């Protein structure tokens, strides 16, 4: 640990020189909660416009909806270490890796970061930490307990509105990123990763490819050419719901499982499944999914709501994802009633 | 009950004795005051606490905007008393519950949770959890838009709920789901849809509680299509179950929405149940109902009927005078103006081994299937004599849990 710390300090000194920013491995690996995002050396200069050359950028075929926020995603893998891919396309990131995800609004050069969430793969497991950007974009500060910020959002099909944007606290990070009580990454599975062409050589260089699932072949939820309605709806539910709604997730007790593995059991996926602990979340409906009848489906009721205690997902959403609701409603309409 | 909390110069101060990042040398108290910034200060204390620490809630009203959560094992959260340290979620903007606990060996005691938008206190996968001397309340009383559960441990082993008060839950005041080894005692549940509910759980003692003014007093249920099912070994004894006459205000779709107003104890789709030494009074539908799961289901593993129930030594006051279930009025008319204090759906016949030595009439609905329409019932008075299964053992908690509340 001492040696690592010394190396870390050395790296910090080096990174003081501009244009040669290097990621600080010991900050990722050592116990504790770094107070500022700049300590990691992921970015140089203002905001997130200049990532370290050691980072690999990617997008997701089907992303989690977060109040129409734009997201900038990077993965960092330490030198000499490599990602392994299993036959299901799940990626096993080596210890020392980090996933860096910045939430903000505006595209291209107009992108203004609000928060950056990091997932750090330490020897003890993954650690999830939220950082909130200062208004001048000079750095982002750790907000272990989360916070709320007023943010102006213009959805694709509506008027600009001001929302209370919620930065999750450390525990809420884990609530979503939890499998069997341990923190794990959610989004970057091989099929759901969309690596920009500029990063593909670097990515290929950092991954041991033993699986058969090609990269980025998963359905794009809002692109009909990318998959059937059923495939796109299930991909949307897998990304937006299944992180909790799986047998080892935070909603394991609900018996509603929306991960790909549950597809064999219709009731577990919500079809004619009665509510268990939904309370007023049921909206007076009998089934999570009433095939052919989205208006009578609890799933749609909860996706359409922004009321705590009703709204799903429970955290990270204060607006309705109208386009996502439309997709799931269309899918439920297409399911045959018994 | 409630006190206005005057902000003091200490209100914004949190005292944190933060240990080194290495193993904690000694347990410490982390004092958190009410007042401005309570959300972030209290949540940060719950994150930074180390095993063995106590997060101490000062006297006052903590005005919270989001759900709180605790994920550190071995932490105690202790207030100044259930009327003195109040976590108020009336202005809550997100999260499915007020306080969520996801770690083992946690003690929650001496505070209140008010007006949460969803469940009030949930503990999931949190073994050895102690709830003691707490108040959970929706302060405006019963309302369909209240949160579902007041105290809500789920998927846990060793659950001790002692001396809590829950008022106004739109599902169950005290709800234990998919858990094992459970004690609910010395607690009061009123103005909830279900006062106390044990669901899909194994090995529970529910005793010395008062369940009154709910829709139904104490429920022991089992539901299909859940990771843990096959509820069994539950003893309901020495409780006062009285005047459960609040009209059912559960949102439709939930199983408790089907509980008739005026139910004392309802056993559904469980096996090996004992109901004894309880005092029943003023429950308009019935004191004890023993029934199967009545809805359609698709689950080959699920057992919808009730088996092995022993009912004895209960005191039955006035009951059955206002039955709020299908066919209830007809039954009351047929049996001298009121429904008998004990009702069994009759499924499984003598093989179900439902036994009562209480000196009150028992109504056997004479159903052959749990989901049979009630209009086709062949109700008649019955004597439920015979031997039930051997008596169930007493539930015992690990000594450290009992010690935590002494």
């Amino acid at each position: 640990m001492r040696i690592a710390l010394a190396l870390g300090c050395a790296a910090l000194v080096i990174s003081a020189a501009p244009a040669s920013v290097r990621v600080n491995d010991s900050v990722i690996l050592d116990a504790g909660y770094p107070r500022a995002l700049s300590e990691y050396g992921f970015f140089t200069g203002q905001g997130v416009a200049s990532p370290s050359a050691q980072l690999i950028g990617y997008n997701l075929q089907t992303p989690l909806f977060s109040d129409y926020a734009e997201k900038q995603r990077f993965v960092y893998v330490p030198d000499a270490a490599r990602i392994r891919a299993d036959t299901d396309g799940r990626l096993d990131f080596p210890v020392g890796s980090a996933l860096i995800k910045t939430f903000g609004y505006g595209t291209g050069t107009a992108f203004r970061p609000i928060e950056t969430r990091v997932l750090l793969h330490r020897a003890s497991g993954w650690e999830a930490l939220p950082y909130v950007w200062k208004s001048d974009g000079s750095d982002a500060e750790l907000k272990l307990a989360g916070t709320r910020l007023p943010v102006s959002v213009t959805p694709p099909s509506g008027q600009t509105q001001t929302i209370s944007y919620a930065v999750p606290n450390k525990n809420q990070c884990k609530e979503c990123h939890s499998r069997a009580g341990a923190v794990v990454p959610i989004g970057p599975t091989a099929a759901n990763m969309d690596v920009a062409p500029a990063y593909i050589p670097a990515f290929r260089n950092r991954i041991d490819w033993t699986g058969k699932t090609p990269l980025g072949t998963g359905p794009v939820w809002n692109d009909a050419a990318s998959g059937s309605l059923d495939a796109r709806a299930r991909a949307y539910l897998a990304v937006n719901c299944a992180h909790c709604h799986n047998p080892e997730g935070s909603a394991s007790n609900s018996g509603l499982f929306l991960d790909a593995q549950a597809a064999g059991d219709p009731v577990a996926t919500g079809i004619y499944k009665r509510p268990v602990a939904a309370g007023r979340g049921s909206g007076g409906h009998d089934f999570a999914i009433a095939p052919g009848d989205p208006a009578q489906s609890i799933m749609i009721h909860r996706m359409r709501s922004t009321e705590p205690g009703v709204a799903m997902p429970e955290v990270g959403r204060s607006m309705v994802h109208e386009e996502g609701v439309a997709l799931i409603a269309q899918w439920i309409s297409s399911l045959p009633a018994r | 009950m409630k006190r206005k909390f005057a902000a003091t110069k200490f209100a914004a101060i949190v005292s944190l004795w933060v240990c080194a990042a290495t193993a904690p040398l000694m347990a410490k108290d982390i004092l958190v005051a009410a007042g401005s910034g309570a959300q972030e200060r209290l949540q940060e204390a719950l994150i930074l606490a180390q095993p063995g620490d106590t997060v101490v809630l000062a006297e006052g009203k903590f005005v919270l905007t989001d759900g709180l959560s605790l994920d550190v094992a071995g932490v105690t959260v202790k207030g100044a008393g259930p009327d003195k340290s109040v976590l108020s979620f009336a202005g809550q903007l997100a999260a499915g519950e007020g306080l969520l606990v996801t770690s083992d060996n946690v003690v929650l005691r001496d505070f209140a949770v008010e007006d949460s938008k969803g469940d009030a206190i949930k503990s999931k996968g949190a073994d050895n959890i102690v709830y003691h001397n707490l108040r959970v309340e929706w302060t405006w009383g019963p309302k369909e838009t209240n949160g579902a559960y007041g105290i809500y441990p789920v998927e846990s082993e060793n659950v001790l709920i002692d001396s809590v008060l829950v008022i106004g839950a739109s599902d169950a005041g005290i709800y234990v789901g998919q858990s094992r080894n459970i004690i609910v005692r010395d607690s009061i549940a009123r103005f909830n849809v279900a006062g106390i509910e044990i669901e899909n759980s194994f090995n529970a003692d529910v005793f010395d509680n008062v369940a009154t003014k709910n829709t139904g007093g104490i429920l022991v249920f089992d539901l299909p299509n859940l990771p843990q099912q096959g509820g069994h070994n539950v003893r309901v004894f020495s409780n006062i179950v009285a005047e459960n006459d609040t009209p059912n205000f559960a949102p439709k779709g939930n199983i408790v929405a089907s509980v008739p107003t005026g139910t004392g104890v309802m056993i559904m789709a469980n096996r090996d149940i004992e109901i004894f030494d309880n005092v029943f009074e003023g429950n308009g539908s019935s004191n004890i109902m023993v029934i199967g799961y009545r809805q359609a289901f698709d689950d080959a593993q699920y057992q919808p009927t009730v088996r092995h129930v022993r009912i004895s030594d209960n005191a039955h006051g006035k009951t059955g005078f206002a039955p709020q279930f299908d066919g209830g009025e007809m039954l009351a008319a047929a049996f001298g103006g009121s429904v008998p204090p004990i009702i069994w759906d009759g499924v499984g016949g003598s093989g179900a081994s439902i036994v009562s030595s209480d000196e009150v009439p028992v109504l056997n609905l004479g159903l052959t299937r749990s989901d049979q329409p009630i209009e086709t019932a062949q109700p008649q008075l019955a004597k439920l004599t015979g031997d039930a299964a051997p008596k169930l053992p007493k539930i015992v908690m690990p000594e450290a849990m009992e010690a935590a509340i002494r």
Side-chain angles (χ1 to χ4, degrees):
Chain A
M1 177 99 71
R2 285 243 172 86
I3 293 167
L5 197 65
L7 286 173
C9 291
L12 260 183
V13 171
I14 292 165
S15 72
S20 64
V21 62
R22 288 195 56 82
V23 172
N24 190 332
D25 288 310
S26 65
V27 173
I28 295 174
L29 284 163
D30 289 354
Y33 307 136
R35 304 302 303 181
L37 187 66
S38 57
E39 294 177 39
Y40 296 93
F42 294 141
F43 303 101
T44 183
Q46 292 289 104
V48 293
S50 307
S52 163
Q54 294 173 286
L55 303 190
I56 297 168
Y58 67 97
N59 287 311
L60 295 179
Q61 299 283 96
T62 293
L64 173 74
F65 173 76
S66 309
D67 287 346
Y68 293 103
E70 298 290 332
K71 299 172 192 175
Q72 194 193 68
R73 301 173 181 84
F74 292 99
V75 57
Y76 169 73
V77 181
D79 289 346
R82 292 167 77 84
I83 305 166
R84 283 183 304 149
D86 68 16
T87 47
D88 294 332
R90 203 171 295 174
L91 303 180
D92 182 8
F93 296 92
V95 168
S97 297
L99 296 167
I100 307 112
K101 183 174 171 186
T102 299
F103 293 62
Y105 290 90
T107 52
T109 52
F111 179 75
R112 194 176 65 81
I114 293 174
E115 53 152 339
T116 296
R117 305 177 191 173
V118 300
L119 268 180
L120 311 172
H121 198 183
R122 293 176 168 169
S124 54
W126 288 90
E127 190 83 68
L129 298 173
Y131 291 83
V132 174
W133 283 90
K134 296 179 181 177
S135 55
D136 65 3
S138 60
D139 203 348
E141 296 173 309
L142 180 65
K143 280 282 184 187
L144 273 183
T147 192
R148 284 185 170 273
L149 303 162
V151 170
S152 180
V153 182
T154 309
S157 61
Q159 290 183 318
T160 299
Q161 52 184 293
T162 299
I163 63 166
S164 175
Y165 181 95
V167 177
N169 67 53
K170 181 175 179 289
N171 288 350
Q172 289 170 325
C173 294
K174 182 177 171 184
E175 280 167 37
C176 290
H177 283 271
S178 170
R179 266 208 192 236
V183 173
V184 293
I186 302 169
T189 60
N192 199 31
M193 268 181 104
D194 168 23
V195 179
Y199 284 110
I200 283 182
F203 185 73
R204 285 284 183 192
N205 199 29
R206 307 317 300 272
I207 190 162
D208 283 332
W209 201 256
T210 57
K212 288 181 178 161
T213 308
L215 191 63
T217 54
V220 177
W221 69 280
N222 58 353
D223 176 5
S226 71
S228 66
L229 175 62
D230 185 69
R232 287 183 291 122
R234 287 183 189 278
Y236 183 91
L237 296 175
V239 169
N240 283 275
C241 316
H243 45 81
C244 290
H245 281 282
N246 75 76
E248 295 182 321
S250 292
S252 58
N253 56 301
S254 69
L256 176 65
F257 301 139
L258 298 166
D259 54 329
Q261 285 75 24
D265 178 354
V267 181
T269 63
I271 293 174
Y272 292 119
K273 184 184 187 308
R274 295 180 188 278
V276 180
R280 69 199 173 100
S282 76
H285 307 311
D286 286 331
F287 304 111
I289 294 173
D293 197 351
Q296 293 296 315
S297 297
I298 295 170
M299 184 181 279
I300 294 295
H301 170 69
R302 303 192 81 163
M303 288 175 72
R304 264 194 211 293
S305 173
T306 55
E307 270 277 288
V310 177
M312 284 285 164
E314 288 182 343
V315 294
R317 181 173 75 74
S318 67
M319 300 174 75
V320 177
H321 188 204
E322 297 292 351
E323 301 76 15
V325 172
L327 172 73
I328 301 306
Q330 190 192 352
W331 174 65
I332 293 175
S333 294
S334 77
L335 297 173
R338 68 182 171 200
Chain B
M1 291 263 285
K2 272 175 284 173
R3 295 181 189 185
K4 275 233 161 83
F5 180 70
T8 71
K9 60 182 174 178
F10 299 108
I13 295 175
V14 190
S15 303
L16 283 175
W17 289 269
V18 180
C19 276
T22 52
L25 296 174
M26 55 182 294
K28 62 190 181 299
D29 285 351
I30 303 171
L31 180 65
V32 184
S36 72
Q39 177 74 40
E40 287 190 30
R41 290 182 294 108
L42 177 49
Q43 182 58 67
E44 187 157 305
L46 294 170
I47 288 170
L48 292 174
Q50 296 283 315
D53 291 351
T54 299
V55 174
V56 179
L57 306 174
E59 187 169 342
K61 186 168 185 171
F62 293 72
V63 177
L64 301 161
T65 56
D66 283 278
L68 297 166
S69 53
L70 172 63
D71 189 44
V72 182
V75 169
T76 294
V77 180
K78 185 180 192 309
D83 293 323
K84 291 181 172 156
S85 299
V86 177
L87 306 181
S88 173
F89 291 92
Q92 186 179 359
L93 296 172
E97 54 281 309
L99 171 61
L100 173 67
V101 177
T102 48
S103 47
D104 297 340
N105 305 311
V106 164
V107 178
L108 306 174
R109 56 177 300 172
D110 312 318
F111 63 89
V113 169
E114 290 183 354
D115 303 332
S116 61
K117 302 287 186 186
D119 306 313
I121 309 178
K122 176 178 178 180
S123 52
K124 177 175 182 290
D127 295 343
N128 304 338
I129 186 152
V130 177
Y131 292 85
H132 171 66
N133 195 32
L134 300 170
R135 176 173 60 90
V136 168
E137 183 169 4
W138 283 269
T139 54
W140 42 74
K143 207 172 161 189
E144 185 180 325
T145 51
N146 290 355
Y149 300 140
I151 286 179
Y152 175 19
V154 65
E155 289 186 343
S156 300
E157 182 156 3
N158 298 328
V159 173
L160 176 56
I161 298 172
D162 175 284
S163 305
V164 304
L165 166 65
V166 184
I167 300 170
S170 72
D171 196 305
I174 298 168
Y175 172 98
V176 184
Q178 300 181 63
S179 292
R180 297 165 189 244
N181 215 47
I182 298 146
I183 290 177
V184 180
R185 70 183 181 211
D186 294 325
S187 293
I188 300 172
R190 58 175 198 246
F191 294 109
N192 310 285
V193 174
I196 299 167
E197 182 172 359
I198 308 294
E199 192 166 272
N200 291 58
S201 287
F202 312 156
N203 307 330
D205 275 355
V206 180
F207 61 100
D208 292 351
N209 302 288
V210 176
T212 186
K213 295 290 173 188
N214 307 286
T215 299
I218 300 174
L219 315 182
V220 182
F221 280 14
D222 200 71
L223 302 180
N225 302 111
L226 288 175
Q228 176 170 307
Q229 55 195 41
H232 63 272
N233 288 17
V234 180
R235 304 194 307 165
V236 178
F237 60 99
S238 304
N239 302 285
I240 296 172
V241 184
E243 294 175 4
N244 288 291
D245 55 8
T246 294
N248 195 318
F249 61 101
K252 186 176 158 280
N254 294 287
I255 188 73
V256 294
S258 65
V259 172
T261 301
T263 298
V265 169
M266 183 183 273
I267 310 297
M268 190 184 74
N270 264 256
R271 67 174 171 81
D272 295 288
I273 304 294
E274 294 179 2
I275 306 167
F276 58 96
D277 290 346
N278 300 288
V279 175
F280 292 99
E281 175 62 47
N283 301 304
S285 280
S286 191
N287 283 340
I288 301 174
M289 298 177 96
V290 178
I291 61 166
Y293 182 73
R294 294 187 52 75
Q295 295 174 317
F297 64 91
D298 177 8
D299 182 346
Q301 307 301 315
Y302 181 65
Q303 168 54 263
T305 67
V306 181
R307 294 131 293 147
H308 305 297
V309 176
R310 183 200 308 275
I311 299 169
S312 62
D313 302 302
N314 299 290
H316 294 268
K318 186 168 182 263
T319 187
F321 50 87
Q324 299 291 308
F325 51 86
D326 288 348
E329 274 181 35
M330 258 167 42
L331 286 172
F335 292 97
S338 64
V339 174
I342 301 173
I343 299 176
W344 170 42
D345 68 5
V347 176
S350 60
S353 185
I354 312 295
V355 173
S356 170
S357 57
D358 282 3
E359 291 172 353
V360 294
V362 175
L363 182 66
N364 180 345
L365 294 176
L367 303 186
T368 54
R369 289 174 51 92
S370 295
D371 59 355
Q372 189 179 329
I374 205 80
E375 307 84 66
T376 63
Q378 302 194 316
Q380 52 187 313
L381 291 178
K383 286 218 180 300
L384 301 180
T385 52
D387 283 336
K391 285 198 175 177
L392 297 170
K394 175 184 176 180
I395 302 298
V396 177
M397 288 293 136
E399 173 53 25
M401 292 174 67
E402 294 286 1
I405 59 175
R406 273 199 292 270

